[in-house]
Amino acid sequence: MQDCIFCKIINGDFGTEFVYENEDAVVFKDINPKANTHLLVVPRIHVESLNELDDEALLGRLMMTVKKAAQKAGLSSYRTVINTGKDAGQEVFHLHIHILSGDIRL
Ligand code: AMP
Ligand code: ZN
């Protein structure tokens, strides 16, 4: 999607480093971290939010991606957050899963 910042990141437009990636998703550091480690798991397909995702298998694989990215980052204890909709604090309307660990401020 043209005006989506996360689609641009996935496309490599900003040279963002991916700490983990697979066929389904890329994982990169949040630009405004709310914990010592704050990663975002972002599906490669543009889906606005959890409300628009109908693919159960993809959702399962995204959660496995959370686990693998956390393992790769050396995290054994972490919080996952999905903000769905403006009133819940969603700011970027491309589905993403936050991974937070250490001194969590969210
Ligand atoms: P949410 O409020 O759940 O939509 O979360 C959006 C997150 O994306 C926020 O924590 C932002 O700090 C983060 N963010 C926004 N733009 C970027 C970017 N260019 N690179 C990395 N993280 C970003
Ligand atoms: Zn997008």
Side-chain angles (χ1 to χ4, degrees):
M1 210 201 164
Q2 257 178 357
D3 288 332
C4 172
I5 184 117
F6 283 180
C7 281
K8 287 179 181 166
I9 288 175
I10 291 161
N11 204 33
D13 290 3
F14 304 122
T16 306
E17 185 195 345
F18 299 146
V19 300
Y20 182 82
E21 64 180 308
N22 58 26
E23 278 189 6
D24 296 308
V26 302
V27 184
F28 51 87
K29 289 181 182 163
D30 195 295
I31 202 168
N32 182 19
K34 305 283 193 325
N36 290 345
T37 303
H38 186 170
L39 305 176
L40 300 173
V41 175
V42 182
R44 290 184 185 274
I45 59 161
H46 181 87
V47 181
E48 277 200 15
S49 80
L50 189 58
N51 282 340
E52 282 76 33
L53 182 67
D54 294 322
D55 186 339
E56 283 182 26
L58 175 58
L59 184 57
R61 293 197 303 276
L62 289 174
M63 293 311 292
M64 295 304 286
T65 302
V66 165
K67 185 172 77 170
K68 286 174 188 158
Q71 278 170 352
K72 190 171 176 203
L75 308 175
S76 55
S77 180
Y78 52 90
R79 178 179 300 170
T80 51
V81 173
I82 302 176
N83 295 320
T84 303
K86 192 162 52 71
D87 291 345
Q90 185 174 2
E91 290 174 357
V92 177
F93 286 85
H94 178 134
L95 173 65
H96 52 280
I97 305 169
H98 297 258
I99 300 176
L100 301 126
S101 183
D103 190 20
I104 298 170
R105 302 175 294 274
L106 183 76

